[in-house]
Amino acid sequence: MGILQNLKLWENNVTLIDERGVKVIKKVPRAMPPNPWKIIRMLSAQNWLFFLIGLMAWTADGYDFNSVNLVSTELAKRYNRSLSAISLSITLTLLFRSLGALIIGMSQTLLQVATAYAPTYGAFIGVRALFGIFMGGIWGLAAAISLENMPVEARGLFSGLLQQGYALGYLIAAAINLGAVSKTSVGHGIIFFVGAGFTALVAIAALFIPESPIYSDREQRASAKARYSFFWKDLKLAARMYWRMFLYCILLCMAFNWMSHGAQDVYPNYLKVQKGLPNTKASIATMIGQCGAVVGGCICGYYSQFLGRRLTVVLACCFGLAMIPLWTIPSSFGALAAGEFFLQSAQNGAWGVMPILLNEYAPPQFRGVFPGTVYQLGNMLSAPAAEIQTVSASAWIVKGKPNYSQVMTIVMCIVFTASGLITACGQERLGSHFELVKRAGAEENIENEIKELRGVEDEERASDAKVMRTQIEYT
């Protein structure tokens, strides 16, 4: 379907893989999903195991990334640098995450310890850049292992729950910052030591879970050389079929990551520097905001099974736009905390749909690499968000203070609007049974892809011939 057809969100035209494993396009009537408690009871013990390991990994990822955001003012004092110089570490972490999405790694434990002990600003920046590489492989695999083993009816709700691992990680980091940083001899270093232990725990837990059923098929009819050949052929065919979707998803993830980092990365500095709140109240406000993020993500994930993924995101973005004044105009702690709660519920509500949306958009046999790669490439394109906001606010002085509020207002108006429009232009793939497609390199995949590509080529030739006939008749 074309963009104009996709924009008719009220019609719920869906492109999906049905229960027989066949790709179809049809109009799907909207039906309320089962009660959340019934959905939770659908999961088997194995479903829960895979989901929880994915959630733990993403929570550790969220904790590790946001640990720097929460103590950036302390780091600036330690290294005698400006806040904009410290925000460069955030930019580099995001830039190098796209590399990590391809090479994977679990060296975050050592790098968190290295962050705490970094003796100079140069060492600190280098460690965080390396950290970005190894951080990059987490999200895509966490989403894949959690959702490919999930009943189709449960994927919306658990997509929302999974994405809240990031908010939960931020919440834990904020709690450590609030309760331990000022009370230990190592100061802000404690936040990195706890992160190192958390990441190590997740890595150890991952060693003891079984492989996802899609990869545990022991039937090997071909030799290793033949299997590698089939894999690369499958990859090339999938690339021919999905390159447009790949580029679209990068653009989508760029908008979403601008939305996330624009709303979160400089927020603690905004409260402490422009609003004059002490570190304790700034930490409490971020914790309240992340509670809102968890609530919004779960609600939007659940209702995306009824409204459709795209319409849910569009509504969340509209709600976020309406909450921006409450987020930036007040000066009292209570009003600022309320604005943070509602704005984070909106932006993370949209994000709650993203894990399942990208899994439905991905080539089914390459769900392990496609979502994570497009997500991190989008992250790379949004990497300067914190630095741009910090530099812009520092250059826009109002009453002797950096004007974070106006900068954040402008950024969030743009990114909420862009995220909603880009999402609306995409396809709806609600309810796709992508788990029925065999692992990468399966001969059945290759045969189906060749048939589909031939069908597309035949349609294009027929369309070209029709245009030529029309032109001849006209002349």
Side-chain angles (χ1 to χ4, degrees):
M1 291 185 293
I3 291 176
L4 292 178
Q5 187 68 21
N6 293 337
L7 285 170
K8 296 179 180 179
L9 297 174
W10 60 90
E11 291 187 354
N12 210 32
N13 295 296
V14 181
T15 302
L16 55 79
I17 299 171
D18 66 14
E19 297 85 350
R20 300 166 296 158
V22 179
K23 189 174 181 179
V24 296
I25 300 174
K26 61 181 180 180
K27 187 179 293 185
V28 177
R30 289 189 170 94
M32 279 295 294
N35 180 287
W37 298 113
K38 290 183 179 180
I39 293 176
I40 288 172
R41 289 197 295 269
M42 289 180 182
L43 272 63
S44 66
Q46 188 180 61
N47 293 151
W48 277 110
L49 180 64
F50 286 123
F51 174 75
L52 290 175
I53 196 65
L55 179 65
M56 286 175 61
W58 188 224
T59 301
D61 200 48
Y63 178 102
D64 292 342
F65 177 77
N66 288 294
S67 55
V68 169
N69 301 341
L70 291 164
V71 295
S72 56
T73 53
E74 290 81 0
L75 290 168
K77 293 176 183 177
R78 175 179 178 179
Y79 297 118
N80 193 27
R81 299 278 179 157
S82 66
L83 283 172
S84 58
I86 296 300
S87 66
L88 175 62
S89 71
I90 300 172
T91 301
L92 291 176
T93 300
L94 294 174
L95 280 171
F96 283 96
R97 281 171 72 165
S98 58
L99 178 60
L102 295 175
I103 66 174
I104 312 302
M106 286 302 293
S107 295
Q108 288 168 274
T109 302
L110 294 176
L111 291 171
Q112 279 288 72
V113 174
T115 301
Y117 282 119
T120 66
Y121 173 72
F124 166 72
I125 288 293
V127 167
R128 296 306 290 183
L130 287 173
F131 176 79
I133 295 175
F134 295 104
M135 186 180 177
I138 301 297
W139 187 85
L141 292 177
I145 195 172
S146 297
L147 298 175
E148 69 189 4
N149 298 288
M150 194 73 60
V152 173
E153 300 83 358
R155 285 175 180 164
L157 174 62
F158 280 88
S159 173
L161 288 171
L162 173 67
Q163 187 60 29
Q164 302 331 300
Y166 186 85
L168 183 59
Y170 196 135
L171 197 60
I172 296 170
I176 298 296
N177 182 47
L178 178 64
V181 167
S182 62
K183 299 176 183 178
T184 61
S185 59
V186 294
H188 62 266
I190 187 63
I191 202 168
F192 301 111
F193 292 133
V194 172
F198 188 11
T199 303
L201 177 64
V202 175
I204 292 169
L207 293 174
F208 293 96
I209 67 166
E211 186 53 87
S212 183
I214 191 173
Y215 298 108
S216 60
D217 182 11
R218 300 300 180 187
E219 185 180 3
Q220 302 289 356
R221 297 180 180 178
S223 64
K225 184 178 180 180
R227 291 199 301 274
Y228 282 122
S229 176
F230 290 150
F231 174 85
W232 287 111
K233 188 172 184 178
D234 196 1
L235 179 61
K236 291 175 184 177
L237 288 168
R240 286 180 60 190
M241 292 176 60
Y242 283 87
W243 68 270
R244 292 182 183 86
M245 181 62 78
F246 184 77
L247 295 178
Y248 167 77
C249 287
I250 292 173
L251 181 64
L252 179 68
C253 290
M254 179 188 71
F256 267 62
N257 278 295
W258 263 99
M259 181 168 59
S260 174
H261 296 296
Q264 293 180 345
D265 291 356
V266 301
Y267 184 74
N269 295 338
Y270 154 67
L271 293 179
K272 289 185 276 188
V273 176
Q274 186 174 4
K275 297 298 183 180
L277 296 183
N279 183 58
T280 300
K281 284 194 173 181
S283 293
I284 293 173
T286 58
M287 293 172 71
I288 291 171
Q290 294 311 303
C291 289
V294 172
V295 172
C298 294
I299 290 174
C300 288
Y302 173 72
Y303 280 104
S304 73
Q305 288 289 136
F306 166 65
L307 297 171
R309 315 298 187 204
R310 298 174 307 129
L311 182 56
T312 303
V313 170
V314 170
L315 292 175
C317 289
C318 291
F319 180 67
L321 282 168
M323 291 298 106
I324 290 175
L326 181 60
W327 188 56
T328 56
I329 293 176
S331 296
S332 67
F333 171 77
L336 286 169
E340 172 71 349
F341 179 92
F342 288 116
L343 188 122
Q344 294 301 333
S345 69
Q347 75 88 11
N348 228 43
W351 263 107
V353 180
M354 185 60 87
I356 186 58
L357 182 67
L358 289 184
N359 270 267
E360 289 171 343
Y361 278 167
Q365 67 273 42
F366 291 104
R367 290 190 313 279
V369 66
F370 183 97
T373 301
V374 297
Y375 167 71
Q376 301 300 359
L377 287 172
N379 233 336
M380 182 177 69
L381 294 173
S382 69
E387 194 170 2
I388 288 172
Q389 286 179 288
T390 303
V391 171
S392 300
S394 299
W396 188 354
I397 303 299
V398 175
K399 296 181 181 180
K401 296 179 180 179
N403 194 9
Y404 280 102
S405 60
Q406 290 299 315
V407 170
M408 291 162 62
T409 296
I410 293 169
V411 168
M412 294 310 298
C413 283
I414 293 171
V415 296
F416 271 132
T417 302
S419 298
L421 287 174
I422 294 169
T423 303
C425 290
Q427 292 183 348
E428 184 62 61
R429 297 195 172 184
L430 172 67
S432 186
H433 288 264
F434 50 70
E435 77 283 357
L436 298 179
V437 177
K438 294 189 175 181
R439 62 191 298 175
E443 293 182 61
E444 181 180 318
N445 296 342
I446 296 171
E447 292 172 359
N448 291 336
E449 286 164 344
I450 291 173
K451 289 178 183 177
E452 189 168 344
L453 281 169
R454 285 175 179 168
V456 170
E457 290 170 354
D458 290 342
E459 288 179 5
E460 289 177 348
R461 281 195 291 268
S463 178
D464 291 342
K466 184 177 180 180
V467 170
M468 290 180 64
R469 284 196 301 270
T470 303
Q471 290 175 344
I472 291 170
E473 290 172 0
Y474 180 77
T475 56

